Amino acid sequence: MTMHDHAERDAQGQASQPGTAEDEHTHFTLATEPCGEGGVVVRASGEIDMLTAPRLREELLGLLDAGHRVILDLDRVDFLGSSGLAALVDAHRHEAPATAAFALVADSRTVVRPLEVTGLDRVLTVHPTLERARESFGILPE
């Protein structure tokens, strides 16, 4: 679901906070919030693996399809597996409206190392801080 859809539901079917969702089986959450005009920050935390990567991919592609400039903040990610890397590549390669863009915030070894080993650090736009990512999109601090 994207931030434009209704609030996601938790494991018991109860509505969670708008723009946030937690996976029942693994420690993984996504929180989506507006960031300047046309910008969106998606904060991921926990493990991005074969169980959680599809939800991340769905969120990113939905936001990109809506023409958003998406900053994916991975600072709270404990594990980034091959399925998570594939979701990032899918978002990078996704054909979206001209207003859409995609960048990452990653500074921890847990995330940066898999990006370096696979060479994705040279393909994806990766910033060490949210401020730098915002600047790259021309989004002024709030």
Side-chain angles (χ1 to χ4, degrees):
M1 286 186 197
T2 66
M3 67 183 236
H4 299 291
D5 294 329
H6 63 282
E8 294 192 40
R9 304 217 172 254
D10 65 17
Q12 289 77 37
Q14 302 297 313
S16 64
Q17 295 263 349
T20 63
E22 184 163 355
D23 192 280
E24 171 186 10
H25 302 291
T26 62
H27 172 68
F28 177 70
T29 60
L30 285 177
T32 304
E33 60 190 55
C35 172
E37 190 170 327
V40 176
V41 174
V42 178
R43 296 180 197 277
S45 65
E47 300 176 3
I48 303 176
D49 57 20
M50 62 187 240
L51 296 175
T52 59
R55 197 169 89 238
L56 175 63
R57 178 184 291 109
E58 179 183 343
E59 181 74 12
L60 295 175
L61 298 185
L63 291 167
L64 291 167
D65 282 342
H68 291 288
R69 293 173 292 161
V70 179
I71 299 171
L72 176 60
D73 185 346
L74 298 171
D75 277 348
R76 295 184 186 127
V77 169
D78 308 331
F79 175 80
L80 179 60
S82 59
S83 297
L85 293 169
L88 301 180
V89 170
D90 287 349
H92 172 74
R93 291 184 175 168
H94 188 66
E95 292 186 28
T99 57
F102 179 61
L104 304 176
V105 174
D107 197 33
S108 72
R109 183 167 172 76
T110 302
V111 174
V112 173
R113 185 69 178 141
L115 294 173
E116 291 173 342
V117 168
T118 58
L120 290 175
D121 62 324
R122 295 183 302 272
V123 175
L124 302 172
T125 304
V126 183
H127 300 281
T129 65
L130 181 57
E131 291 75 26
R132 289 235 183 115
R134 290 169 56 104
E135 288 172 9
S136 76
F137 283 165
I139 299 171
L140 301 174
E142 296 172 347

